DNA sequence: GAGTGGTCTAGACCACTGT
DNA sequence: CAGTGGTCTAGACCACTCC
């Protein structure tokens, strides 16, 4: 009962009220909640407005919705965190630091054992780059690029433009996979990053594809101190 | 020009077509794209349908929308990856392994230098737990819990029920922060995980709050081999 | 001021899926 | 089969922001 203070509109206010009821245990985990039509009456708005509010809450993991089954409060709310994967240069500049890079290696080679390039035949563009923030090396990039997918990149001056940035702007892609892990720095890596051998690196591995064709695979190894953050 | 094959409906098909145009460079980065009314005419649907498709594309980072400014293709599309933060037990069981835990420490203590507990006065519940998959230790959990926010937890048998799981189901919370990083295993950590001292651990640090009150802070250190994965 | 996206409404039909 | 969420429509008004 107890309708809301009279004037309630906007899906956001309803969304907030829904989250409040979950947080305050008005609606308990596992509970069936009133259906959209009922809530629309209670809130005095159109069903579509309730739908929007509930859909967003479900997408965030707070509710579980099923046709005919109705809507229930999630029992074990799987929290969903959204990470931004920015262009490296912008990530550095957003910390008010100056970005620069050094191209250590540029070759055409056979990608062997490279994730995403399993069935690849012929040679691919292989890059190794050190990224610097205010002149200090903080990130090693090891990248393989499928030249069949982005032939133009063979003519780009990768000393000037980062492959990362060029690809983001010029390589259409449909999807990919990302994995995060930790790894001990090899002697070589330690030398390049000016850190102790064996130091713990934060590693991001990413494969991007267009359809079923791989475009690029990259391994980013961040020097100690790097933190990837987000809110939930 | 070239209207679509005639029958086009559903925001999802329009969404797919929009992404295709971006991918295939029909619409180039930075380009202004037709406004909603125009697209609605082209696709032969209501403006609300176009709105839904474009809104989702913008949320995913492919478009930038501004009132009056119109909609443009993002020049440097910031990829957004969504991570699921599951309950540890379920994560293990989803790999068809058996989950178990060992409670190493349970004390009331002053949280000093604990993120999120900066202004905390008095004592908090401090836990240290080893999580095992098929009997093999793979994760160290170090947790602080604000007893004022969840007094019932003081009476829970944390040997049986994981604090992680209990909190997820019983502690209402409104938000929090997560950070991911890498760290070298200390001698103690190495001993507990049966790995070499200094090995690279994947670390997740999370603070959850209700309003401005901290509920719990946890540091999860995963043994080498752990990968957190997602698709984009 | 005017153009464009953001949202709300009232009603309708459809698609799943539990009973 | 029937209840519930998912979506579409046509129209309206509002809010922001560029000119």
């Amino acid at each position: 009962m107890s309708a809301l203070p009279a004037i309630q509109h906007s899906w956001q206010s309803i969304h907030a009220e829904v989250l409040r009821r979950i947080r305050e245990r008005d609606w308990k985990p596992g509970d069936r909640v009133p259906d959209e039509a009922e809530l629309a009456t209670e809130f005095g708005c159109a069903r579509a407005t309730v739908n929007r509010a509930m859909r967003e809450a479900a997408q965030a993991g707070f509710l579980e919705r099923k046709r005919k089954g109705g809507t229930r409060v999630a029992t074990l709310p799987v929290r969903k965190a959204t990470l931004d994967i920015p262009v490296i240069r912008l990530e550095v500049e957003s910390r008010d630091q100056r970005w620069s890079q050094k191209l250590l290696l540029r070759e055409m080679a056979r990608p062997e054992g490279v994730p995403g390039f399993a069935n690849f035949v012929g040679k691919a563009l292989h890059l190794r780059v050190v990224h610097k923030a205010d002149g200090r090396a903080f990130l090693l990039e090891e990248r393989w690029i499928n030249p069949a997918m982005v032939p133009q990149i063979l003519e780009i001056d990768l000393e000037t433009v980062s492959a990362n940035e060029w690809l983001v702007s010029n390589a259409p892609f449909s999807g990919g996979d990302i994995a995060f892990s930790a790894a001990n720095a090899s002697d070589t890596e330690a030398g390049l990053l000016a850190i102790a051998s064996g130091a713990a690196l934060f590693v991001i591995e990413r494969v991007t594809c267009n359809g079923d064709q791989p475009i690029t695979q990259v391994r980013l190894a961040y020097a100690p101190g790097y933190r990837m953050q987000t809110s939930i």
Side-chain angles (χ1 to χ4, degrees), chain A:
Chain A
M1 298 281 82
S2 81
L4 286 180
I7 299 157
Q8 272 292 334
H9 284 298
S10 94
W11 69 268
Q12 309 201 24
S13 63
I14 294 177
H15 182 252
E17 169 64 10
V18 166
L19 294 192
R20 190 197 64 74
R21 291 185 183 184
I22 295 172
R23 224 182 321 117
E24 313 283 341
R25 293 292 184 275
D26 285 356
W27 293 343
K28 300 182 184 59
D31 275 6
R32 172 88 175 265
V33 310
D35 65 38
E36 296 190 346
E38 225 167 310
L39 290 172
T41 305
E42 176 190 339
F43 292 129
C45 67
R47 184 166 76 92
T49 306
V50 173
N51 180 278
R52 174 77 187 271
M54 303 288 274
R55 175 160 35 90
E56 303 261 347
Q59 201 171 2
F62 292 105
L63 296 174
E64 289 166 1
R65 320 195 77 195
K66 267 189 297 195
R67 283 161 158 154
K68 165 77 178 181
T71 300
R72 293 175 179 280
V73 177
T75 44
L76 289 177
V78 173
R79 300 299 301 186
K80 293 183 166 64
T82 304
L83 295 172
D84 287 352
I85 317 283
V87 169
I88 294 163
R89 175 175 64 80
L90 296 181
E91 187 179 11
V92 170
E93 291 175 352
S94 73
R95 294 194 301 264
D96 281 326
Q97 297 181 307
R98 195 176 47 79
W99 172 84
S100 60
Q101 68 170 350
K102 188 173 173 189
L103 184 59
L104 301 177
L105 173 71
R106 185 193 188 285
E107 63 167 9
M108 296 299 291
R110 284 213 150 66
E112 307 203 349
V114 177
F117 282 69
N119 299 320
F120 186 84
V121 288
K123 295 190 173 185
L125 181 59
H126 181 203
L127 305 176
R128 190 171 296 139
V129 181
V130 184
H131 293 259
K132 303 181 182 186
D134 282 344
R136 199 175 47 78
F138 76 102
L139 168 60
L140 291 178
E141 171 182 357
E142 179 106 18
R143 185 183 288 275
W144 290 86
I145 301 171
N146 179 351
M149 299 299 285
V150 281
Q152 305 154 295
I153 200 169
L154 298 176
E155 290 151 32
I156 299 291
D157 175 12
L158 294 172
E159 304 266 2
T160 316
V161 182
S162 113
N164 173 289
E165 195 160 341
W166 189 89
L167 286 166
V168 164
S169 296
N170 296 281
F173 70 102
S174 57
D177 293 288
I178 307 188
F180 306 90
S181 58
N184 291 101
S186 68
D187 291 347
T188 309
E189 290 170 328
L192 291 169
L193 291 172
I195 55 174
S197 185
L201 306 178
F202 182 78
V203 175
I204 304 179
E205 288 165 293
R206 187 165 66 229
V207 181
T208 54
C209 299
N210 195 359
D212 55 356
Q213 293 299 309
I215 298 170
T216 185
Q217 187 272 351
V218 65
R219 178 181 188 271
L220 302 171
Y222 287 87
Y226 181 79
R227 287 163 65 87
M228 186 173 72
Q229 299 189 52
T230 190
S231 293
I232 54 176

